[in-house]
Amino acid sequence: MQFLYAQTDRCLGCRSCEIACRIEHSEEKNLFSAVSQIHPPKKRLFVEQQGDRKEPVLCHHCDDSPCMAACITGSLYRDERGVIRRRDERCIGCWSCIMACPFGVVARDANLHLAVKCDRCPDREIPACVASCPTKALRLVDADMLSEERRQEYMLREEK
Amino acid sequence: MRSDQPEKKVIGLQSGKELAYDKLLLAAGGIPIMLLQNMVGLDSKGVFTLRSLDDAIKIREYLPTCRTAVIIGGGLVGIKTAEALMRVGLAVTVIEQQPQILPLRADLTVAATIAARLKKQNITVLTKEAVTEIITQKGRANGVCLASGGIVPADLVIMAVGVRANIDFLSESGIKVDHGVVVNNRMRTSVPDIYAAGDLIRFIDQATGEKAVSGLWSNAVHTGSVAGCSMSGGRSEMPPMLSVMNSTEIAGLPIISAGLLHTQSDQYAVYTEAQGEKYRKLIFDQDRLVGMIFLGDVSRAGVYTNLIRNRIPLGDRRDTVIREVMTKIR
């Protein structure tokens, strides 16, 4: 299982990920389209800042997914990658998912009357936000790989 | 269901058949309340409740003969139905007994904003008003009498005064009920091997600390999953529950509310912020968030419903929460 991992001490708060997210979800998948199409796409992750700390807040595609449990029409589902996605034709814009998400990362697209959330870029191997991150604060990682990385970090710290 | 032989583990069906069980789940849901059971005209053609797809289809089939509609009850079901009937061209009147519409889901400010939007769409909203009688002609509804004396024409009458737990069939079962089926935190009823989940259970509301029965989808999903787990021998516990946690969009305005919405006591601190029609309200009990209403801008609402549901003590982060909510209305 792969997931998006944000290493917060590397985040500059430059919002490249937010722009890349909008571009990827625009009609023509370019910056011009993202800003000029009639209903500009909503971003699906949010760079937040508290004091000096910056961090992209993003969908965790939770195991116990509260958004999916709250979805009254069965629009939200988990795809073969483990990613929680939306069936457009079933979303009625009741915003129950927004009410349920403890991370606040489901947004309301008032123009399309659809709930908008991270779909982890189904057309790409590497999600647009990850590809755009200049400091590699955002990475697509394998759970096992991350544990190994953490073990090595721990050993190096012990050596010092 | 009968209690005479609980050790037999058998239930009787309406058809007369009997079914044996090892474990039994009660998930019979909620049923619409028929206010004033003896009200004149209640059994005439053109009077409906709306709870299931079948109900909706029946109403749609009846529509071609209708030009006017009265909705009895200004709750979520009533208001959403009013909008839908307005869209297909009916002249709609909503009648609510309380001084405001959405009495359980909104405060006075939000109710007034939404009522104004509904009026703009030519939906008539009457509050502090009640229906005393349904007027019929040849067995079909064609109007209602108001407590205040007037008459409102209505080819269609929708009863939308709320739902209650569907528990009448348990009256002889020996299962403990109190407005809803009483369960422990693993969804067991008072009778061994019988479990209950969904809209028919009684639970403790985290925000008010009081016993509650409430037909909320997410509560049903969670309690159903806990019951399934318990019945198959697993360990799982009922999550914290709220009886008010609703989200919808009315007349183009999204609204999310949760927890305690009406406060009289000084025990609670209330914060509000308005920007045109957009409105946000937070209610605190010391450093715990216990209630919220977001109207117009519902972004990040889930962060706060979860603070309420899990009774998170915020300590000195309380002011940050207030600032975040109030300054970020978009």
Side-chain angles (χ1 to χ4, degrees):
Chain A
M1 173 74 194
Q2 286 192 311
F3 59 95
L4 285 175
Y5 177 66
Q7 195 177 330
T8 53
D9 58 347
R10 286 189 176 180
C11 179
L12 304 173
C14 71
R15 299 180 186 266
S16 299
C17 50
E18 291 186 353
I19 295 169
C21 180
R22 286 192 205 256
I23 291 173
E24 178 65 20
H25 295 96
S26 66
E27 283 159 17
E28 311 283 340
K29 299 203 181 199
N30 59 42
L31 183 58
F32 182 73
S33 172
V35 294
S36 67
Q37 70 189 50
I38 299 166
H39 300 313
K42 305 280 281 185
K43 61 186 176 189
R44 289 124 197 264
L45 81 172
F46 306 83
V47 176
E48 298 285 347
Q49 184 163 5
Q50 273 307 329
D52 286 338
R53 189 182 154 145
K54 295 147 193 145
E55 183 174 343
V57 181
L58 38 86
C59 174
H60 296 249
H61 302 279
C62 310
D63 273 353
D64 64 343
S65 50
C67 57
M68 205 160 84
C71 180
I72 60 174
T73 62
S75 171
L76 292 179
Y77 69 104
R78 197 182 291 277
D79 75 6
E80 61 287 349
R81 299 172 299 160
V83 170
I84 295 179
R85 311 232 336 242
R86 179 194 66 218
R87 295 182 185 94
D88 289 13
E89 70 283 5
R90 283 211 179 181
C91 179
I92 57 167
C94 70
W95 322 122
S96 294
C97 44
I98 296 178
M99 175 177 73
C101 175
F103 299 101
V105 292
V106 186
R108 166 177 177 257
D109 192 325
N111 295 316
L112 301 177
H113 205 68
L114 290 173
V116 173
K117 69 175 291 301
C118 170
D119 55 4
R120 209 179 281 167
C121 301
D123 301 341
R124 302 175 62 113
E125 203 169 321
I126 304 290
C129 54
V130 173
S132 74
C133 182
T135 60
K136 304 236 179 326
L138 262 179
R139 287 185 296 157
L140 185 68
V141 296
D142 200 75
D144 294 339
M145 202 177 82
L146 192 69
S147 321
E148 193 182 319
E149 222 171 84
R150 282 287 171 82
R151 283 195 297 270
Q152 285 179 355
E153 264 174 42
Y154 170 76
M155 281 174 61
L156 288 173
R157 222 178 312 146
E158 291 294 289
E159 267 175 24
K160 275 177 199 166
Chain B
M1 279 186 83
R2 306 210 346 219
S3 63
D4 39 4
Q5 289 169 309
E7 71 285 354
K8 252 181 81 180
K9 293 198 178 178
V10 166
I11 55 163
L13 302 181
Q14 222 163 34
S15 64
K17 265 193 206 155
E18 288 199 334
L19 282 178
Y21 66 85
D22 294 322
K23 308 252 188 210
L24 178 66
L25 175 67
L26 305 173
I31 45 175
I33 296 169
M34 264 293 182
L35 198 65
L36 312 164
Q37 301 267 0
N38 49 3
M39 183 161 72
V40 177
L42 203 58
D43 53 355
S44 53
K45 272 188 193 162
V47 181
F48 296 89
T49 56
L50 178 51
R51 175 80 184 160
S52 64
L53 178 61
D54 275 351
D55 296 338
I57 291 169
K58 275 184 211 150
I59 293 170
R60 191 171 64 186
E61 281 167 356
Y62 194 77
L63 279 181
T65 59
C66 304
R67 291 171 61 196
T68 52
V70 159
I71 317 283
I72 305 179
L76 279 177
V77 172
I79 301 295
K80 294 297 281 185
T81 309
E83 272 200 289
L85 293 174
M86 175 275 293
R87 277 194 213 113
V88 295
L90 270 64
V92 184
T93 306
V94 177
I95 299 168
E96 167 61 49
Q97 269 188 326
Q98 299 291 319
Q100 64 163 91
I101 56 166
L102 301 171
L104 300 175
R105 315 293 175 203
D107 64 1
L108 276 171
T109 312
V110 168
T113 307
I114 291 174
R117 280 251 181 155
L118 293 173
K119 280 171 194 164
K120 249 188 227 164
Q121 299 184 336
N122 287 322
I123 294 172
T124 309
V125 178
L126 305 176
T127 50
K128 278 191 189 167
E129 185 61 273
V131 170
T132 53
E133 188 183 323
I134 295 169
I135 308 163
T136 56
Q137 199 174 32
K138 292 178 190 161
R140 297 169 70 100
N142 80 343
V144 299
C145 294
L146 301 177
S148 64
I151 285 177
V152 180
D155 307 314
L156 181 66
V157 177
I158 310 279
M159 295 291 291
V161 292
V163 288
R164 62 185 183 88
N166 182 13
I167 49 174
D168 296 349
F169 71 105
L170 298 173
S171 57
E172 285 171 39
S173 66
I175 294 169
K176 195 174 164 197
V177 296
D178 173 17
H179 299 285
V181 177
V182 177
V183 290
N184 70 5
N185 60 5
R186 301 187 61 197
M187 312 317 297
R188 269 184 59 175
T189 69
S190 61
V191 174
D193 295 318
I194 300 182
Y195 296 74
D199 294 0
L200 56 44
I201 63 161
R202 190 208 75 184
F203 58 90
I204 304 297
D205 184 319
Q206 282 294 305
T208 62
E210 284 165 15
K211 297 168 186 170
V213 176
S214 174
L216 293 187
W217 173 261
S218 52
N219 286 350
V221 171
H222 290 128
T223 55
S225 135
V226 174
C229 185
S230 297
M231 291 169 77
S232 52
R235 282 204 78 86
S236 173
E237 282 196 4
M238 177 158 52
M241 308 259 283
L242 294 174
S243 57
V244 175
M245 186 163 123
N246 291 87
S247 172
T248 192
E249 183 160 318
I250 301 167
L253 279 177
I255 169 174
I256 292 180
S257 56
L260 204 64
L261 305 182
H262 301 277
T263 50
Q264 253 96 55
S265 134
D266 291 342
Q267 182 190 349
Y268 303 105
V270 181
Y271 299 84
T272 58
E273 183 73 37
Q275 254 179 49
E277 285 181 310
K278 290 178 185 173
Y279 175 81
R280 285 185 162 187
K281 179 184 206 171
L282 294 179
I283 299 166
F284 286 89
D285 180 359
Q286 301 190 24
D287 69 338
R288 284 188 164 92
L289 186 63
V290 292
M292 63 172 278
I293 306 176
F294 284 14
L295 177 72
D297 173 13
V298 293
S299 58
R300 292 160 53 90
V303 175
Y304 309 102
T305 60
N306 277 282
L307 292 181
I308 297 170
R309 207 200 319 220
N310 296 305
R311 296 185 58 75
I312 310 273
L314 291 165
D316 50 12
R317 284 179 297 176
R318 180 176 174 273
D319 293 339
T320 315
V321 166
I322 297 167
R323 200 171 52 240
E324 280 286 311
V325 170
M326 299 311 180
T327 58
K328 286 195 177 164
I329 303 184
R330 293 186 190 103

